[in-house]
């Protein structure tokens, strides 16, 4: 049986008298990649912060496996432009050894940026450094809030592929928030559609046909997502390119990237 890392039992969060998260049931197990989707103001970030223990809950219960190690990539992180900060120094702020910092950067393919200024990185490079920072503690659960924000479409596909590879190599669980429904549907294992409460949840191919999903995002979006989603029967490299494999069949994408 797969190990449950975090379980939310009927969790609600009320702030200033307003219901932000309403009676959510959720289990994140080792090996899962669960993506939380929903409109702005749906409570997605609040839910993530509750899982991390950064947001107190109003009712319900959150159970975390004993000794659970968490890695967190926040949605926004502001680097003071007048403060010199290299990737090396930024990673050192975690308290991890230089060797562990370099190993984490190697995992996300940005070790060559070790001496670079954090201010001069591209959007994709910055996100890879932030993910590396979350990896230094060898997390059991990797939590990402909009990990592909500010990254171009090709870079987004590469980041989601990286997340899958990290899930496999670390044997961890992953829960993330994303707005890019097309790419996420191809990259995730399970989807949780949130609008304060759980509108629907399940596998991507199921979610795209769920009436609650269609009502929330519209028929056009639902149809395009259903067409786009596919099962990977080939491998990709870090650049998102298909790697030749004599034993794999061709995978036909029915929608453009």
């Amino acid at each position: 049986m797969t190990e449950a890392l975090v379980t939310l039992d009927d969790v609600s969060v009320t702030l200033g008298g307003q219901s932000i998260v309403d009676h959510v049931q959720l289990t994140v197990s080792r090996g899962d990649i669960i993506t939380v989707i929903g409109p702005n103001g749906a409570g997605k970030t609040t839910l993530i912060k509750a899982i991390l223990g950064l947001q107190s809950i109003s009712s319900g219960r959150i159970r975390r496996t004993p000794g659970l190690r968490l890695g967190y990539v926040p949605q926004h992180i502001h680097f003071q432009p007048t403060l010199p900060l290299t990737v090396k120094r930024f990673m050192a702020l975690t308290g991890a050894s230089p060797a562990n910092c370099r190993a984490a950067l190697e995992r996300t393919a940005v070790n060559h940026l070790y001496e670079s200024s954090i201010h001069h990185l591209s959007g994709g490079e910055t996100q890879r450094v932030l993910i590396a920072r979350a990896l230094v503690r060898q997390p059991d659960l990797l939590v990402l809030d909009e990990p592909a924000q500010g990254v171009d479409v090709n870079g987004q596909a590469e980041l989601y592929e990286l997340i899958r590879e990290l899930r496999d190599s670390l044997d961890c669980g992953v829960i993330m928030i994303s707005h890019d429904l097309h790419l996420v549907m191809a990259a995730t294992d399970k989807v949780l559609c949130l609008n304060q409460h759980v509108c629907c949840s399940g596998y991507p191919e199921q979610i795209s046909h769920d009436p609650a999903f269609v009502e929330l995002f519209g028929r056009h979006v639902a149809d395009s997502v259903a067409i786009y989603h596919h099962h990977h029967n080939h491998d990709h490299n870090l650049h998102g390119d298909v790697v030749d494999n004599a034993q794999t069949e061709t995978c036909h994408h029915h929608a453009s990237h």
Side-chain angles (χ1 to χ4, degrees):
M1 184 176 179
T2 307
E3 178 188 5
L5 300 173
V6 176
T7 301
L8 279 67
D9 294 324
D10 205 28
V11 167
S12 296
V13 178
T14 302
L15 299 173
Q18 181 179 359
S19 177
I20 308 298
V21 173
D22 187 28
H23 298 289
V24 170
Q25 302 277 150
L26 172 66
T27 297
V28 186
S29 299
R30 192 177 297 279
D32 279 346
I33 298 182
I34 296 178
T35 302
V36 182
I37 62 174
N40 290 332
K44 300 185 297 295
T45 296
T46 299
L47 180 68
I48 289 291
K49 288 182 176 180
I51 290 172
L52 290 165
L54 301 175
Q55 172 64 57
S56 59
I57 63 175
S58 306
S59 63
R61 182 185 179 195
I62 299 180
R63 291 177 288 161
R64 302 176 183 87
T65 190
L68 181 69
R69 295 189 303 272
L70 293 162
Y72 177 42
V73 180
Q75 182 178 3
H76 299 293
I77 186 164
H78 178 68
F79 299 108
Q80 178 56 249
T82 58
L83 180 66
L85 184 65
T86 62
V87 171
K88 175 182 178 179
R89 176 61 181 154
F90 177 66
M91 293 294 290
L93 293 174
T94 62
S97 69
N100 285 345
C101 290
R102 294 297 291 259
L105 291 166
E106 188 71 41
R107 279 185 180 273
T108 60
V110 286
N111 189 36
H112 61 287
L113 300 172
Y114 193 57
E115 302 288 348
S116 301
S117 168
I118 202 85
H119 303 292
H120 298 158
L121 305 184
S122 69
E125 290 170 341
T126 299
Q127 290 305 108
R128 284 173 179 267
V129 169
L130 291 175
I131 293 172
R133 180 174 176 267
L135 296 181
V136 294
R137 298 185 63 232
Q138 295 286 309
D140 301 301
L141 179 61
L142 188 57
V143 182
L144 308 106
D145 192 347
E146 293 285 358
Q149 190 174 48
V151 181
D152 63 31
V153 173
N154 288 333
Q156 289 177 19
E158 292 170 11
L159 273 175
Y160 288 127
E161 192 65 30
L162 170 64
I163 290 166
R164 292 187 71 89
E165 291 172 2
L166 291 172
R167 183 274 310 270
D168 294 340
S169 63
L170 294 172
D171 189 27
C172 66
V174 176
I175 183 167
M176 61 181 170
I177 294 172
S178 181
H179 280 103
D180 195 312
L181 299 180
H182 295 88
L183 284 173
V184 161
M185 287 298 193
T188 194
D189 296 327
K190 300 174 185 176
V191 179
L192 182 81
C193 184
L194 188 72
N195 193 12
Q196 279 79 52
H197 65 284
V198 177
C199 298
C200 52
S201 64
Y203 298 107
E205 57 267 29
Q206 298 171 325
I207 292 299
S208 59
H209 298 292
D210 193 290
F213 181 93
V214 175
E215 182 179 352
L216 204 57
F217 295 103
R219 170 59 64 185
H220 174 72
V221 171
D223 287 345
S224 65
V225 165
I227 292 170
Y228 187 93
H229 179 69
H230 64 278
H231 293 287
H232 286 280
N233 55 8
H234 56 244
D235 295 321
H236 294 263
N237 61 22
L238 276 176
H239 303 291
D241 302 319
V242 175
V243 178
D244 289 334
N245 186 327
Q247 295 182 340
T248 60
E249 302 173 0
T250 303
C251 176
H252 299 286
H253 294 251
H254 299 288
S256 63
H257 290 262

